[in-house]
Every structure is written in structure tokens, then in C-alpha cells.
Amino acid sequence: MASFEPGIKAATGQIVRALEDKSLRPSIAGFFDEATNTISYVVHDPKTAEAAIIDSVLDYEAASGRTSNGSADRIAEYVTSKDLKVMWLIETHAHADHISAAPYLQEKLGGKLAIGREIIRVQEVFGKLFNAGTDFERDGSQFDKLFDDGETFNIGQLEGIALHVPGHTPADMAFIIGDAAFVGDTIFMPDFGTARADFPGGDAHQLFQSIRRLLSLPNETRLFLCHDYKAPGRDDYAWETTVKQQREGNVHVKDGTTEDEFVAMRTARDKDLPMPNLIMPSVQVNIRGGRLPAPEDNGVSYIKIPVNAV
């Protein structure tokens, strides 16, 4: 955990400054896609109108193999209506439950496509699984920017910092922008708990450590989640919480939960979880930066489904 300290120290300082100065806090709009239970975000600097789009969704109908852009167009319409300038299209990780719309939005709105540097490990694992061949580069070159742990960036006058939070996958990142943290699939609402850790390269011990790392940020830090599934007894979808609320009430990892207790719970729970409905198309496309596999000689792109391999 020692290697994590510089990043957390920098993120904490940034959050404290934003809490003290409202001009350093971002404007945030969430877009919920009920088909995949995913929340995408547009984050912008009110002073300069520079913006980032985080974890966008391409609509995909598994039965027909057809894609459409309704979810992404809602984001584009919002960006246009606010006269925002998109600087970044950020992926918190290579999602297994939805296909990214980043290339579509990049073509319409501009910006650099970014993800964590460990996407290279994910590309290697799934490149083999899908027998992607030598034409598929496993060096992250499908993205414009690979973030390292603790690396800083800007959206206008807003400060941002990337934190590596592996466990759900090796490449998961959280992005701290002002007083807000976009935490991907590491953690859910306090009444729902935490992400699974049984995908290739996942690790429940790492996930616990990553979550505790995030929960060492100031209590007032706003946490914006990538998914919500409405916990039993809750009627509405929700995707914003705080470090304090998570530390006090997360059903899987609140204060006082030991690493061994968490790993035992997570391992037992993950054994009974089905694979996400869209894992095969999603991962296959998302490791390519959200681009479909190259068309074959008939002009059609194909999604591979490995049989009895997972």
C-alpha cells in the first residue's frame, strides 16, 4: 500500500481545495441507461465549459446484433445544449456489461479517449481468449491516453487525478475531479455493496485494498458510481454517495470489516453470480477502444463467442 500514498495525498489535497473553493468543483450530469444499469457522466468546468464524458454507452441488441446511438445521442445533445467543449472521453475500465460509445462521441464532439495503462494486461488476456490474432495490438494504442496511477490532468481550470484501483479488473481506475470521485465498478451504493472480483485478472484482496484506499479520501468526497441495481427495499435508482456514507454503511466493506471477511464474502458471492449478459460483445469491443472488430471480406463485423472456454 505504500506505493499508493503519493496519489492519495495528492487527491486529498485537491479535494480539500475544492471543498474550500466552490469554483474548483465540477458541474456533473448523470445519464442512466436502464438496459445495462450504467450511469454515464458529463463533467464540466463552469468557468471554461471544458468537459469530460465518462463511461458512455452504445446501445446493443444482443438478439439481432444491431447497434444504435440513442444513449450516446442524449449525451451529445446535452453537450451541445450547454455549448461544452469535450476534452476527454474517459473509460474507468474495459466494461463487461456494456459497449462504449466513446468512438462515436469522439467523432461528433472531439476529445481524447483515455483509460488506465493496465488495459494492456486486459488486452493480453482477452486477446488470447478471443483468438484476436496478430492484427490486434496489445499495447493500448487504440486509446489516445493511458493514465498511470497518480497522474494529473485538467478540465479547464479543474484539477483531476487518476488513481489505479484494481480488483474488479486489473485496469480499473478512479478519476478524482475537484471534490468528486468517479469510481467505476469498485463500489456501489452502500445498501448494495461492492463489485465482483471473479473476472480474469480480478482479485478480491486487491479490490478490498482499492476500496479502502478510496475510502481514505476526505469524508465529504462525492462518489459517483458506474452502476446501480436498486437494492432490496429501495424503489429508486441512485448513483451518488459520499466517502462518509460508504464508511458508515456499505453492507460489504464498511469500517470494521477485515480484509479476510471481505474476501470470504466476495468469493462466496461471486460463485453464484451469472456472467453479465453482454460480456462477450462488450469486452471484445471495449479492449479495442469501443471499436468493432474489423469488417471481414463481406463488409460485416463479427463478434466471436468462445464456446466452453470461460
Side-chain angles (χ1 to χ4, degrees):
M1 295 295 290
S3 63
F4 282 173
E5 292 311 311
I8 288 297
K9 183 178 180 180
T12 297
Q14 174 187 294
I15 292 164
V16 169
R17 289 191 294 274
L19 290 171
E20 293 174 347
D21 183 351
K22 290 184 179 180
S23 70
L24 300 178
R25 302 179 198 174
S27 177
I28 300 167
F31 297 82
F32 183 68
D33 178 62
E34 190 163 0
T36 62
N37 294 89
T38 302
I39 305 94
S40 307
Y41 297 98
V42 177
V43 186
H44 80 267
D45 173 13
K47 286 187 176 180
T48 66
E50 291 189 3
I53 298 171
I54 301 176
D55 290 336
S56 60
V57 176
L58 181 74
D59 301 320
Y60 178 77
E61 186 180 81
S64 66
R66 297 197 67 84
T67 64
S68 57
N69 300 306
S71 296
D73 283 338
R74 283 198 299 147
I75 292 174
E77 289 165 7
Y78 174 84
V79 167
T80 301
S81 71
K82 296 288 186 180
D83 198 24
L84 304 180
K85 181 180 180 181
V86 175
M87 307 303 294
W88 296 101
L89 299 116
I90 293 174
E91 301 293 332
T92 55
H93 62 295
H95 305 274
D97 40 34
H98 72 268
I99 296 174
S100 170
Y104 172 78
L105 289 168
Q106 186 177 42
E107 185 175 345
K108 289 178 69 74
L109 303 170
K112 293 182 178 180
L113 175 55
I115 199 167
R117 184 169 299 280
E118 292 301 306
I119 187 61
I120 295 169
R121 288 181 58 194
V122 177
Q123 289 177 328
E124 184 64 31
V125 170
F126 283 98
K128 291 178 180 177
L129 176 64
F130 293 116
N131 197 28
T134 57
D135 289 341
F136 172 57
E137 299 291 343
R138 295 160 169 82
D139 58 1
S141 57
Q142 299 84 352
F143 300 86
D144 301 311
K145 173 65 179 176
L146 301 182
F147 278 112
D148 292 306
D149 182 61
E151 189 169 355
T152 59
F153 61 101
N154 291 93
I155 303 170
Q157 297 182 23
L158 299 178
E159 296 179 335
I161 188 166
L163 296 177
H164 186 212
V165 286
H168 174 61
T169 78
D172 278 65
M173 301 292 286
F175 293 90
I176 318 300
I177 303 171
D179 67 327
F182 299 86
V183 299
D185 284 14
T186 54
I187 199 165
F188 300 138
M189 290 299 290
D191 58 359
F192 199 87
T194 58
R196 65 195 300 164
D198 61 329
F199 294 151
D203 185 292
H205 288 281
Q206 281 190 334
L207 181 60
F208 178 85
Q209 294 163 15
S210 293
I211 291 170
R212 295 312 306 180
R213 185 186 187 200
L214 289 172
L215 297 187
S216 72
L217 294 170
N219 279 338
E220 301 86 355
T221 307
R222 295 183 289 164
L223 303 181
F224 290 87
L225 317 179
C226 190
H227 297 288
D228 187 59
Y229 303 94
K230 289 196 297 190
R234 175 157 55 86
D235 295 329
D236 298 317
Y237 291 110
W239 48 81
E240 180 181 350
T241 179
T242 66
V243 165
K244 185 175 189 291
Q245 290 168 341
Q246 294 284 7
R247 292 185 64 168
E248 292 180 348
N250 188 285
V251 294
H252 291 169
V253 72
K254 64 184 177 183
D255 284 358
T257 305
T258 68
E259 183 170 339
D260 287 343
E261 289 170 341
F262 175 81
V263 170
M265 176 282 302
R266 191 70 265 170
T267 302
R269 185 179 177 90
D270 290 349
K271 287 180 180 178
D272 296 327
L273 292 177
M275 286 290 104
N277 290 335
L278 297 182
I279 185 170
M280 294 303 175
S282 295
V283 174
Q284 200 165 159
V285 173
N286 291 337
I287 59 175
R288 292 176 164 87
R291 299 173 186 87
L292 294 172
E296 297 191 8
D297 55 11
N298 62 354
V300 177
S301 293
Y302 289 88
I303 299 292
K304 292 182 178 179
I305 307 295
V307 178
N308 297 327
V310 177

